[in-house]
Amino acid sequence: MSFESSTGNRLEEFVGRPGNAPSFDVHMIQKTVKNGFLTTLAQKCKTLIELKQLHAHILRCRINHTPYAIAPVISVAATSNDVSFFSYARSIFLHLTHRNTFMHNTMIRGYLLARSPFLAVSCYLAMLQNGIAVNNYTFPPLIKACIAILSSSSSSNLIGRLVHGHVVKFGLCNDPYVVSAFIEFYSASREVERARVLFDKTTKKDVVLWTAMIDGYGKIGNVENAREVFEKMPERNAVSWSAMMAAYSRVSDFKQVLALFAEMQSEGTKPNESILVTVLTACAHLGALTQGLWVHSYAKRLDLVSNPILATALVDMYSKCGCVKSALSVFGSIVDKDAGAWNAMISGVALNGDARKALELFHQMAASGADPNETTFVAVLSACTHGKMVRQGLQLFEEMSSTYGVLPQVEHYACVVDLLSRAGMVEEAEKFIDKKMGGLAADDPNVWGALLNACRIYKNIHVGNRVWKKLLDMSVADCGTHVLTYNIYREAGLDAEANRVWSTISEAGMKKKPGCSIIEVDNEVEEFLAGDHSHPQAQEMCKLLDSFLKMVNLEQF
């Protein structure tokens, strides 16, 4: 039986045949909607044609004179994330003579989902102008629309504040969902203290509101206040834990992510997919393979590996832990590979020294129809750099904009400079900077760092001296730059110049960031900094290392 036939039969069973359609009062139609009959039919529409067929049956049954009849069709179509469905919902909405609060709320949500936040605000204004009552469901999507336009309009902050004034006027300032949305808005506009005032003034705080405040602090990197709020929560759910872990992840405190994950497990909270992705990211940065394997096993048991975001995080984790075969296995299982998955795999094989495999994957990506982006080219250019594949790297750089429509950014220029520099083509790298980048700039530390390092390796004192003087003229040389230049002069036998650079380092009190190493022992991640003896077993470890050195010396003797 066709969709049209089955839909018609079910609708006619409920309301009668079109030719004999009785007159329905508003209460009866409200009951129809409340029972979910029309909503169920609308949700079963898989194509626009089927949706139009349902709409046609509603019109033929003469129940379209009240907004309650058509509201389910608009609701399903406007929030379906299907462009054609949303366009049709908008068309129906604009041609209606009777619109209610539910319809306007639905269209505000629809405009938000369709990435048209200004139209969402316009819909709200039309609602007010036509005297349509607002309710607590009106404002959360409207406030999210204000958040969406924060970066695209200088007056966007004002729009959000005006909406806040309306919320106060309509007496909805204690609704937890409305307050949560405003906390997100003020946090996004870097006014987190205003968000905290709203939070503190709200008498009825549910888990959503607490989590919103944690997330607000987390997004601006204030993990101390985020943790303070987190510890005060009367009850927590998986989303709360996820928000706190994400806060630590944003400031690269990955050890705290794993510590919090262990605490969450001990409390018996079941992790959601977002938590697993955050934990895998932490494992990738810390090299915590054992914990990463546990997450993979857990995801398999719950059949979550099909989630492309989680699968991509697994690819990244295995690659950074040196398990390329496992990364390729997970990557191969991803059915619909997006740019993120391809980028993770290309970066992974490049990180592990297989430049040719990275290029092979890049060409497979292009052939598959996935569009390479800025991150893709950073990964593949880096692979060419470490594989000394200068010709291929330069060719890819030229094809970025001409073939793939990706405009080179500073990081891509830095990759090319590094590519030429590591291959010993120091003069060519300097010419590339002058010709393609307009010379050295103050905000390009990766560029001049790569060039100076190559000058030291290939003992090119002339280019190194020119770069050093340019950096001095711009007053941007940092500790690392000074140390590199000092080594260039010292190794070239230019002791007077080397001493001058060293004097500058000493007088300015410059200190190079200490080296760091991380190991995983018995599911615990240990971090060690060069020169740091704060670890409780530091003396024992130093003695053990000394004994190893003595053993090596004895064997050599």
Side-chain angles (χ1 to χ4, degrees):
M1 185 182 289
S2 69
F3 175 86
E4 183 177 12
S5 176
S6 63
T7 301
N9 289 343
R10 290 198 64 195
L11 196 61
E12 286 167 5
E13 284 173 14
F14 197 85
V15 301
R17 294 190 175 277
N20 303 312
S23 176
F24 294 98
D25 61 23
V26 171
H27 297 294
M28 185 173 181
I29 297 170
Q30 279 182 303
K31 184 179 178 182
T32 306
V33 175
K34 191 175 181 180
N35 289 340
F37 170 71
L38 290 174
T39 302
T40 301
L41 286 180
Q43 288 172 340
K44 288 186 176 182
C45 297
K46 303 299 181 185
T47 66
L48 183 59
I49 291 174
E50 291 176 353
L51 187 74
K52 287 181 176 180
Q53 288 171 353
L54 174 60
H55 186 200
H57 279 294
I58 292 172
L59 295 176
R60 286 171 59 200
C61 292
R62 298 204 299 272
I63 58 172
N64 63 304
H65 64 282
T66 170
Y68 295 108
I70 205 66
V73 176
I74 294 178
S75 177
V76 171
T79 58
S80 65
N81 282 320
D82 183 297
V83 176
S84 62
F85 274 42
F86 173 73
S87 180
Y88 190 66
R90 186 185 180 195
S91 177
I92 295 173
F93 178 78
L94 293 176
H95 286 88
L96 285 174
T97 54
H98 302 285
R99 303 172 192 149
N100 61 8
T101 302
F102 176 81
M103 285 181 172
H104 281 85
N105 291 350
T106 297
M107 288 308 299
I108 290 171
R109 284 177 56 216
Y111 283 125
L112 177 65
L113 293 172
R115 298 182 182 179
S116 300
F118 285 104
L119 290 177
V121 175
S122 296
C123 185
Y124 170 69
L125 293 175
M127 194 175 181
L128 296 178
Q129 289 166 359
N130 293 324
I132 305 295
V134 301
N135 60 22
N136 57 325
Y137 295 104
T138 306
F139 290 101
L142 180 62
I143 298 162
K144 288 183 183 293
C146 294
I147 296 169
I149 58 180
L150 273 171
S151 60
S152 60
S153 170
S154 59
S155 62
S156 58
N157 185 279
L158 177 60
I159 295 172
R161 285 171 178 268
L162 289 171
V163 170
H164 194 174
H166 284 209
V167 166
V168 174
K169 177 184 176 182
F170 292 122
L172 296 169
C173 44
N174 276 320
D175 182 273
Y177 289 95
V178 174
V179 177
S180 296
F182 272 123
I183 287 173
E184 185 181 352
F185 168 76
Y186 285 117
S187 300
S189 61
R190 314 295 292 186
E191 296 179 275
V192 73
E193 292 310 316
R194 189 180 292 273
R196 184 59 187 265
V197 170
L198 280 177
F199 175 79
D200 290 338
K201 283 184 176 180
T202 306
T203 52
K204 294 181 180 179
K205 298 183 180 75
D206 63 2
V207 69
V208 175
L209 197 59
W210 285 92
T211 303
M213 195 66 250
I214 293 167
D215 196 45
Y217 278 126
K219 283 178 178 175
I220 64 167
N222 191 337
V223 291
E224 293 80 12
N225 282 348
R227 189 62 184 261
E228 176 211 337
V229 175
F230 180 76
E231 293 297 338
K232 289 179 179 177
M233 287 185 77
E235 60 173 323
R236 302 166 184 157
N237 59 15
V239 181
S240 313
W241 289 94
S242 178
M244 192 63 242
M245 289 183 204
Y248 281 122
S249 185
R250 285 189 191 95
V251 297
S252 300
D253 193 346
F254 299 112
K255 285 187 71 176
Q256 275 296 334
V257 171
L258 296 188
L260 206 60
F261 182 60
E263 186 182 336
M264 185 197 76
Q265 287 180 294
S266 68
E267 290 194 10
T269 303
K270 183 179 176 182
N272 58 23
E273 292 173 55
S274 177
I275 288 174
L276 296 180
V277 170
T278 303
V279 171
L280 285 171
T281 302
C283 292
H285 283 85
L286 296 173
L289 178 60
T290 304
Q291 295 196 47
L293 285 166
W294 184 92
V295 172
H296 191 183
S297 175
Y298 181 85
K300 277 183 176 178
R301 288 200 304 272
L302 296 182
D303 197 25
L304 300 175
V305 184
S306 57
N307 180 321
I309 298 174
L310 183 61
T312 300
L314 282 167
V315 170
D316 187 54
M317 183 275 296
Y318 278 127
S319 298
K320 286 178 178 171
C321 290
C323 303
V324 182
K325 285 185 178 179
S326 296
L328 285 167
S329 174
V330 175
F331 177 73
S333 70
I334 302 174
V335 178
D336 188 14
K337 299 177 179 68
D338 61 6
W342 285 101
N343 292 345
M345 197 65 256
I346 292 169
S347 298
V349 294
L351 181 70
N352 287 277
D354 196 344
R356 296 199 177 278
K357 182 65 176 178
L359 278 176
E360 179 188 325
L361 285 166
F362 172 78
H363 293 303
Q364 287 178 12
M365 176 185 184
S368 73
D371 294 325
N373 56 24
E374 289 87 352
T375 307
T376 313
F377 282 99
V378 169
V380 76
L381 287 171
S382 298
C384 291
T385 297
H386 294 291
K388 299 282 178 68
M389 302 166 72
V390 177
R391 180 182 58 81
Q392 293 93 327
L394 291 175
Q395 182 180 341
L396 280 169
F397 180 78
E398 293 300 324
E399 289 176 352
M400 270 186 71
S401 54
S402 61
T403 304
Y404 299 101
V406 179
L407 293 176
Q409 305 298 318
V410 173
E411 54 267 31
H412 301 110
Y413 288 109
C415 284
V416 175
V417 172
D418 199 25
L419 171 73
L420 295 169
S421 299
R422 286 177 186 256
M425 303 168 68
V426 181
E427 285 84 2
E428 288 83 351
E430 187 182 27
K431 288 177 184 175
F432 177 86
I433 292 170
D434 291 333
K435 184 178 177 182
K436 295 286 188 178
M437 303 179 65
L440 287 173
D443 58 348
D444 298 339
N446 292 330
V447 173
W448 73 65
L451 191 54
L452 273 178
N453 192 49
C455 289
R456 181 193 174 187
I457 293 169
Y458 295 100
K459 303 187 185 305
N460 193 320
I461 184 65
H462 302 294
V463 175
N465 194 44
R466 283 198 296 271
V467 172
W468 171 244
K469 287 182 176 178
K470 287 178 182 177
L471 294 178
L472 282 181
D473 290 340
M474 292 188 293
S475 301
V476 293
D478 57 11
C479 182
T481 306
H482 277 79
V483 171
L484 265 177
T485 308
Y486 166 77
N487 287 323
I488 290 170
Y489 285 141
R490 184 179 59 82
E491 291 167 10
L494 301 173
D495 293 336
E497 286 82 354
N499 289 335
R500 273 196 292 271
V501 176
W502 189 256
S503 296
T504 305
I505 294 173
S506 301
E507 289 168 9
M510 294 182 183
K511 289 186 178 180
K512 192 175 180 182
K513 189 177 180 180
C516 168
S517 60
I518 298 171
I519 61 170
E520 183 185 23
V521 181
D522 296 331
N523 293 334
E524 290 290 327
V525 175
E526 299 286 351
E527 182 180 52
F528 299 93
L529 294 174
D532 178 23
H533 296 279
S534 61
H535 194 280
Q537 295 175 285
Q539 289 187 347
E540 295 174 47
M541 288 186 280
C542 287
K543 286 178 182 178
L544 185 63
L545 287 171
D546 286 339
S547 66
F548 286 154
L549 289 171
K550 287 175 183 176
M551 290 170 64
V552 170
N553 289 333
L554 282 171
E555 286 181 7
Q556 287 177 344
F557 180 76

